[in-house]
Amino acid sequence: MKKILVTSLVAALYSSVAVAENPIKMDDQSQLSNIQAVNESTQYHQPPLEKDLPDNAYGEMVRKGHAIFVDTKNQVPEYVGNGMNCVNCHMDQGRLANAAPLWGAYPMYPAYRSKNNKVNTYAERIQGCFQFSMDGTPPPADSEAMTALITYSYWLATNAPTGVSLPGRAYPSVKQPEGGYSIERGAQVYADNCAFCHGADGMGQKVAENYVFPPLWGKDSFNWGAGMHRINTAADFIKANMPLGKGNSLTDQEAWDVAAFMNSHERPQDPRLVDGSVEKTYEKYHANDGVNLYGQEVNGKILGQGVQ
C-alpha cells in the first residue's frame, strides 16, 4: 500500500512539473477549503485562486511566475546550477503556511538581512535563493524572470498587510533538544522516514531528467551558503512539513537528528569562499550562522570542500 501511494504521488508531482515546452497548470486549491478550516485557532492568509486572475498581461505574468516557481530548472535553466526548484522549500506552489509561503515574504521587504549586512529588496532576496539554494546565477533585477517571480509573489499576497509578520510566514521554530542532536540517530530516522522518497543515497528521485523528489546532498542539492545548511533551519522545515503529507509527525528530537544527518553530507561549495579556504569562510560566514557543520570534521572529513 505504501509503495502504491508514493508511486501515485510521484506521478501527481511530475504531472504538475511539466517540461518547459508544455503549459503548466496552476492548481486550484478551492477543493481544500475544508482541510484548511481544520485548524481554526490560526487564521492564515488565504491567497487568491487562478480563476480570479484577469485575462490580461498581468494575469499572464502571474502565470509565468508560477511556472518558473514550480519548474525552475526547465523554465530558467540559465539561472539554475543544480536540480532544485523554488517549490522544494516553499511548498504547495509557495502557498503553504509554515513552509515559507511567498505571501508571507513579499510584504516584509525591503528588509535588513544579517547574511549580507545590508537592506535587501525583494528582488535581492530572490537573487540570494538562486545563488545559494539553486547553486546558480542570480537573475538580473530587471529580467523577465525576476519580474514574473515578483508579480507571482505580489499576487499571492493580495490583501495581506505590509510590514506585518503574518502567522505561518516562516518555518515554526523547533528548539534544540537538551541533549543536542545525533547524526547516528538521524541516519535511522532518515532510513525510516525519508529514504523512500529521497533515496538511500540522498540523491532524490527523477522521472526522465526532472527531479520529483529533490536531492538532499551531493552536486544537485543546495550549496553550503543556503539557509537550509543550518541544522536548526532544516529541523524547523522538517518538523512542520516532512515526511511529505505527514508534517508534525516527527518529534523535535527526530527532526533535529535527521537534519543533522542530512547536513553532515558534502554538497556544493559556498560561493562566498574566502581565498580558497574553508577555515576562513567558516570564520567569516558560518561561525555565527546558527547551528551548522560547515568546516567541521565528520567521519574523518572536513565538510565544506564542495562537490562538483
Side-chain angles (χ1 to χ4, degrees):
M1 175 64 74
K2 182 178 180 183
K3 185 173 182 179
I4 293 173
L5 176 63
V6 175
T7 301
S8 299
L9 181 58
V10 170
L13 285 170
Y14 182 61
S15 67
S16 68
V17 184
V19 292
E21 60 267 27
N22 292 331
I24 297 176
K25 177 66 176 174
M26 196 182 303
D27 290 343
D28 187 323
Q29 300 294 308
S30 58
Q31 77 278 10
L32 300 181
S33 57
N34 61 325
I35 297 175
Q36 294 169 340
V38 171
N39 185 359
E40 297 179 349
S41 63
T42 302
Q43 296 298 315
Y44 296 126
H45 171 74
Q46 297 299 309
L49 302 173
E50 184 187 15
K51 64 182 179 61
D52 299 321
L53 276 173
D55 187 18
N56 57 22
Y58 175 74
E60 290 177 7
M61 190 60 71
V62 169
R63 291 184 177 92
K64 183 181 291 291
H66 168 267
I68 293 171
F69 192 82
V70 301
D71 192 27
T72 321
K73 178 70 172 180
N74 284 318
Q75 295 290 321
V76 287
E78 65 271 30
Y79 302 128
V80 180
N82 56 19
M84 307 292 287
N85 295 303
C86 301
V87 72
N88 294 142
C89 296
H90 310 271
M91 301 180 69
D92 188 17
Q93 309 165 80
R95 305 174 70 97
L96 185 64
N98 300 318
L102 298 187
W103 50 257
Y106 179 85
M108 298 302 293
Y109 285 86
Y112 170 77
R113 298 189 73 215
S114 59
K115 184 167 187 172
N116 55 16
N117 193 33
K118 60 176 287 189
V119 173
N120 287 222
T121 64
Y122 190 63
E124 288 174 314
R125 181 66 183 88
I126 292 174
Q127 287 173 330
C129 287
F130 276 91
Q131 183 180 14
F132 300 113
S133 295
M134 304 289 187
D135 193 38
T137 302
D142 60 351
S143 64
E144 183 180 60
M146 183 63 73
T147 299
L149 288 169
I150 291 175
T151 305
Y152 179 54
S153 302
Y154 172 82
W155 176 71
L156 289 178
T158 299
N159 294 327
T162 300
V164 176
S165 185
L166 296 172
R169 172 195 173 199
Y171 310 139
S173 180
V174 180
K175 186 177 180 180
Q176 183 172 359
E178 287 187 9
Y181 58 81
S182 166
I183 293 173
E184 291 73 23
R185 286 195 307 263
Q188 188 60 55
V189 176
Y190 183 87
D192 293 342
N193 297 278
C194 315
F196 194 81
C197 293
H198 296 285
D201 59 1
M203 299 301 170
Q205 292 194 53
K206 285 183 173 182
V207 172
E209 295 302 312
N210 298 283
Y211 281 103
V212 290
F213 292 109
L216 301 182
W217 57 83
K219 67 180 181 64
D220 276 344
S221 189
F222 55 89
N223 67 40
W224 281 110
M228 201 65 75
H229 95 283
R230 295 189 295 262
I231 295 172
N232 52 300
T233 300
D236 293 346
F237 172 78
I238 290 166
K239 171 71 176 181
N241 298 289
M242 292 289 130
L244 187 62
K246 296 173 63 179
N248 291 302
S249 63
L250 299 180
T251 66
D252 292 0
Q253 184 70 69
E254 289 172 329
W256 270 82
D257 288 346
V258 76
F261 173 72
M262 178 179 80
N263 286 333
S264 69
H265 293 80
E266 196 58 86
R267 58 188 62 261
Q269 177 57 265
D270 189 330
R272 302 167 298 181
L273 186 67
V274 179
D275 297 335
S277 169
V278 170
E279 183 178 0
K280 289 183 179 180
T281 306
Y282 170 79
E283 290 297 331
K284 184 169 183 178
Y285 294 113
H286 297 272
N288 298 303
D289 187 23
V291 181
N292 69 84
L293 294 170
Y294 184 89
Q296 307 303 304
E297 183 175 333
V298 177
N299 296 326
K301 296 183 178 179
I302 300 296
L303 293 175
Q305 305 295 326
V307 292
Q308 302 299 322

